[in-house]
Amino acid sequence: MISVLIPTFNYPIFPLVQKVHELLIAEKVDFEIICLDDCSTKISFINQNEEINSLENASYQVLEVNIGRSKIRNLLADTANYDWLLFLDADVMPIKDNFIKNYLKFISGDYDIIYGGIKYVPKKPDASQLLRWHYGNVREALDTEKRSRKPYISFLTLNFLIRKSVFEKVRFNENIPNLRHEDTLFSYQLLKAKIPILHIENPVYHLGIESSKTFLKKSLESLKGALYFKENQLIDPNYIKIFAFHNKLKKAKLDRGIAFLTKRSLRRIERNLLGPKPSLRLFDLYRLYYLIQLEKDA
């Protein structure tokens, strides 16, 4: 019936697996939960996650080498025995007890891929984590109506159900650098293959809120991955919002002012982004500046 696939790295996933296992048992369906650990370095997390092997139809295995986000997802799918694959990221948690039931409703329908969505815990996190929380709430935690307007752009790979036969046709690209944006490329491949995505209201909480400093660093790293896609013609540049916006600025010859932002201006922007009231407009401006510098060096 359904294979739940969870990749992890240096994260305690037993609470997630325990919850999903409980919900699957309640629905009385054939299932398996497969967890692959991408060679974690924190022994305490590995020890906690080993408890997964005590659960019926659940397994946890630590890989001997780190293989990256794309390859581990493909490996999970290859290992799965059932026709439907439910991919969950390590740092999520179902919000409601009808989480599995809601997905099962659509298994007999016409759609081959269903995305349930994401939310963030309403309570504000520590001040040092506000940029990630604010970005997630505004840009990622969209309701079904908003996501359905742009079904591919709004698709994230942390909580989705896909028919295994379809995944065998559209897999995660293992040849790209491990620099994030692999979910963007995956959704673009779904678009090109004309595989429709059904958006439903079945969200999980995203619990792994990084510090603003870490999130900012990873956001800049992801631009390198996106630029790799563009340079190697793996994706239409306009499919990625920041590239589409940059192209508009270049046509209007408005990008030069951004390219010459002073160090003083950049420090001010950084203080805002790492502070208690981060601005997403400044976040976009900061990333755009970095993208322009990357393209200059390319």
Side-chain angles (χ1 to χ4, degrees), residues 153-170:
I153 293 290
S154 302
F155 174 79
L156 299 174
T157 58
L158 47 71
N159 169 31
F160 74 100
L161 184 70
I162 186 170
R163 200 184 297 271
K164 186 175 183 180
S165 59
V166 172
F167 188 85
E168 288 170 350
K169 298 174 184 176
V170 181

Side-chain angles (χ1 to χ4, degrees), residues 21-76:
H21 187 271
E22 173 189 319
L23 299 180
L24 286 161
I25 291 289
E27 295 306 317
K28 299 179 181 179
V29 294
D30 294 330
F31 74 89
E32 63 182 353
I33 303 175
I34 306 174
C35 308
L36 289 182
D37 187 318
D38 206 4
C39 196
S40 285
T41 56
K42 295 184 179 180
I43 302 300
S44 61
F45 290 153
I46 293 176
N47 291 338
Q48 292 177 51
N49 293 337
E50 287 284 358
E51 294 185 53
I52 292 168
N53 291 317
S54 66
L55 299 175
E56 182 183 5
N57 300 328
S59 65
Y60 168 78
Q61 178 185 351
V62 183
L63 302 181
E64 294 183 0
V65 295
N66 184 280
I67 62 176
R69 285 181 294 275
S70 292
K71 195 168 185 178
I72 197 170
R73 288 189 173 102
N74 289 341
L75 181 57
L76 280 162

Side-chain angles (χ1 to χ4, degrees), residues 11-278:
Y11 200 87
I13 59 171
F14 182 69
L16 167 62
V17 175
Q18 192 174 37
K19 181 63 177 179
V20 173
H21 187 271
E22 173 189 319
L23 299 180
L24 286 161
I25 291 289
E27 295 306 317
K28 299 179 181 179
V29 294
D30 294 330
F31 74 89
E32 63 182 353
I33 303 175
I34 306 174
C35 308
L36 289 182
D37 187 318
D38 206 4
C39 196
S40 285
T41 56
K42 295 184 179 180
I43 302 300
S44 61
F45 290 153
I46 293 176
N47 291 338
Q48 292 177 51
N49 293 337
E50 287 284 358
E51 294 185 53
I52 292 168
N53 291 317
S54 66
L55 299 175
E56 182 183 5
N57 300 328
S59 65
Y60 168 78
Q61 178 185 351
V62 183
L63 302 181
E64 294 183 0
V65 295
N66 184 280
I67 62 176
R69 285 181 294 275
S70 292
K71 195 168 185 178
I72 197 170
R73 288 189 173 102
N74 289 341
L75 181 57
L76 280 162
D78 292 339
T79 307
N81 293 301
Y82 291 113
D83 294 334
W84 284 93
L85 314 177
L86 175 56
F87 280 93
L88 295 173
D89 272 8
D91 57 354
V92 305
M93 182 63 69
I95 298 175
K96 296 183 178 180
D97 287 345
N98 60 359
F99 175 72
I100 294 296
K101 180 180 288 187
N102 283 343
Y103 270 132
L104 292 177
K105 290 177 185 177
F106 297 94
I107 280 182
S108 59
D110 296 330
Y111 283 86
D112 295 320
I113 180 166
I114 303 118
Y115 173 52
I118 179 179
K119 287 187 181 298
Y120 287 78
V121 177
K123 184 180 178 181
K124 282 188 177 183
D126 186 81
S128 65
Q129 299 172 307
L130 281 173
L131 177 60
R132 181 68 186 96
W133 182 82
H134 183 46
Y135 176 89
N137 272 299
V138 175
R139 300 279 174 85
E140 296 174 340
L142 306 177
D143 61 30
T144 306
E145 182 182 352
K146 289 180 180 178
R147 284 188 273 122
S148 297
R149 292 174 196 165
K150 296 181 179 180
Y152 296 94
I153 293 290
S154 302
F155 174 79
L156 299 174
T157 58
L158 47 71
N159 169 31
F160 74 100
L161 184 70
I162 186 170
R163 200 184 297 271
K164 186 175 183 180
S165 59
V166 172
F167 188 85
E168 288 170 350
K169 298 174 184 176
V170 181
R171 295 162 63 85
F172 287 93
N173 190 319
E174 297 184 11
N175 299 316
I176 60 176
N178 197 32
L179 293 169
R180 297 172 183 84
H181 262 307
E182 69 280 348
D183 53 350
T184 304
L185 184 57
F186 183 71
S187 69
Y188 181 72
Q189 291 171 330
L190 291 171
L191 172 65
K192 296 296 287 182
K194 298 181 180 179
I195 299 171
I197 300 173
L198 176 65
H199 286 258
I200 66 172
E201 198 64 25
N202 197 31
V204 292
Y205 277 137
H206 183 206
L207 302 177
I209 306 297
E210 307 148 316
S211 71
S212 298
K213 189 173 183 180
T214 298
F215 178 62
L216 188 58
K217 179 184 176 182
K218 287 184 176 181
S219 297
L220 299 183
E221 287 176 354
S222 73
L223 291 176
K224 294 180 182 178
L227 191 59
Y228 177 90
F229 297 165
K230 177 183 176 182
E231 291 173 344
N232 289 274
Q233 300 180 334
L234 295 173
I235 201 168
D236 180 347
N238 288 316
Y239 187 74
I240 300 176
K241 290 180 182 178
I242 193 168
F243 283 155
F245 184 60
H246 186 207
N247 287 337
K248 288 180 181 179
L249 288 179
K250 283 195 287 188
K251 288 179 181 178
K253 297 182 179 179
L254 296 173
D255 60 321
R256 295 176 184 176
I258 297 173
F260 291 104
L261 282 173
T262 64
K263 290 184 178 179
R264 185 178 180 182
S265 296
L266 291 170
R267 283 196 295 268
R268 285 180 176 175
I269 293 173
E270 287 175 1
R271 281 198 295 271
N272 171 271
L273 298 180
L274 301 179
K277 294 183 179 180

